[in-house]
Amino acid sequence: MFTNTIKKSLQDIFSPMVLTFILKIGFGAILFWIFIFSFFWDDFSTFVTSYLTWIPFDWLQSTIAYIAAPLLAYTLIIVTIAILTSLFSEKLLINLAKKHYPEKKAIASPSIMGSISSTLSSTIIFSLLYLILFPTFIIPVIGQVIMLYVWSILLKAPTVHDVGGLFIINKSELKEKRKKSNLIAMIASLFNYIPFLNIFAPIFAQIMFLHH
């Protein structure tokens, strides 16, 4: 049952080894962007405002810009966490598999280039959709659903590649498991709505894919 998958994943997410991984990756990414923005925030904010020149009325433009710059900065943190998780989660996933499924052995180590390629392609698609659909994000309810879907794109392909490539050799089995990857990515992306808990999203998606 999928509810059991969620239950197991939530239990794992609060285990010491997962929390240690998350704190290293998550707070590392947060501190990195805090450092960058401490020097370039004004330039960054100006850039975001320039993108919003199509919006009528100066007061509306300035209001949206006030929200848009922090939102985009927050998104950059999310992207960075997703990339770092994809690149460095292999050892953690193997340890979790040993804990829950002793019979499940890592069949291969997903190639670094494959992980980078999968993550970069997802990031590019995510970035394009984010820029195109950004104005819709301010629409109540509908905007949040659209944003959730866009965020899920960032997690879906890297999760399938990293976890599937590590444990699944049978292509038909991987194809079957991939069917729920959209749902898994969207559930994990819900963490992105809560500051600081967003650091859990990418690894939560990978753990869910491991369990389902």
Side-chain angles (χ1 to χ4, degrees):
M1 293 292 290
F2 200 71
T3 52
N4 193 45
T5 296
I6 296 175
K7 181 181 177 181
K8 281 185 176 181
S9 301
L10 286 172
Q11 290 171 344
D12 280 339
I13 209 77
F14 295 112
S15 65
M17 63 177 168
V18 176
L19 286 175
T20 300
F21 175 84
I22 288 170
L23 291 175
K24 288 179 181 178
I25 295 292
F27 285 105
I30 291 170
L31 291 174
F32 169 77
W33 282 110
I34 287 175
F35 176 77
I36 296 296
F37 287 134
S38 66
F39 291 99
F40 301 107
W41 179 256
D42 288 341
D43 293 333
F44 176 76
S45 185
T46 300
F47 167 76
V48 174
T49 303
S50 67
Y51 171 70
L52 301 172
T53 53
W54 58 270
I55 297 175
F57 311 117
D58 289 341
W59 66 269
L60 181 59
Q61 188 180 124
S62 60
T63 300
I64 294 177
Y66 182 78
I67 301 170
L71 179 59
L72 186 56
Y74 181 68
T75 301
L76 288 172
I77 293 173
I78 291 172
V79 170
T80 304
I81 292 170
I83 292 172
L84 293 176
T85 299
S86 179
L87 293 176
F88 297 109
S89 62
E90 180 178 324
K91 183 178 178 181
L92 175 64
L93 292 170
I94 291 173
N95 288 335
L96 287 173
K98 286 179 180 178
K99 174 184 174 182
H100 293 284
Y101 314 105
E103 75 287 353
K104 182 178 286 190
K105 306 296 181 183
I107 56 166
S109 179
S111 68
I112 295 295
M113 288 307 298
S115 291
I116 293 173
S117 174
S118 177
T119 303
L120 283 180
S121 61
S122 295
T123 301
I124 290 170
I125 295 170
F126 164 82
S127 300
L128 289 173
L129 287 177
Y130 194 94
L131 289 173
I132 294 169
L133 298 174
F134 184 82
T136 68
F137 295 166
I138 61 174
I139 302 172
V141 183
I142 295 174
Q144 281 66 65
V145 173
I146 295 172
M147 186 186 293
L148 182 65
Y149 172 74
V150 173
W151 273 336
S152 73
I153 290 172
L154 194 61
L155 301 180
K156 179 186 173 183
T159 295
V160 173
H161 176 274
D162 296 337
V163 186
L166 193 58
F167 297 107
I168 303 172
I169 195 170
N170 188 307
K171 290 185 178 180
S172 60
E173 181 185 354
L174 182 60
K175 183 178 180 181
E176 183 65 27
K177 283 184 171 290
R178 188 184 283 117
K179 290 179 180 178
K180 288 188 177 179
S181 59
N182 271 326
L183 178 60
I184 287 171
M186 291 187 76
I187 291 173
S189 295
L190 289 170
F191 280 106
N192 291 332
Y193 282 109
I194 307 173
F196 293 109
L197 286 187
N198 64 312
I199 63 178
F200 288 85
I203 195 63
F204 189 68
Q206 291 191 350
I207 293 172
M208 284 184 69
F209 196 83
L210 173 68
H211 285 310
H212 97 287

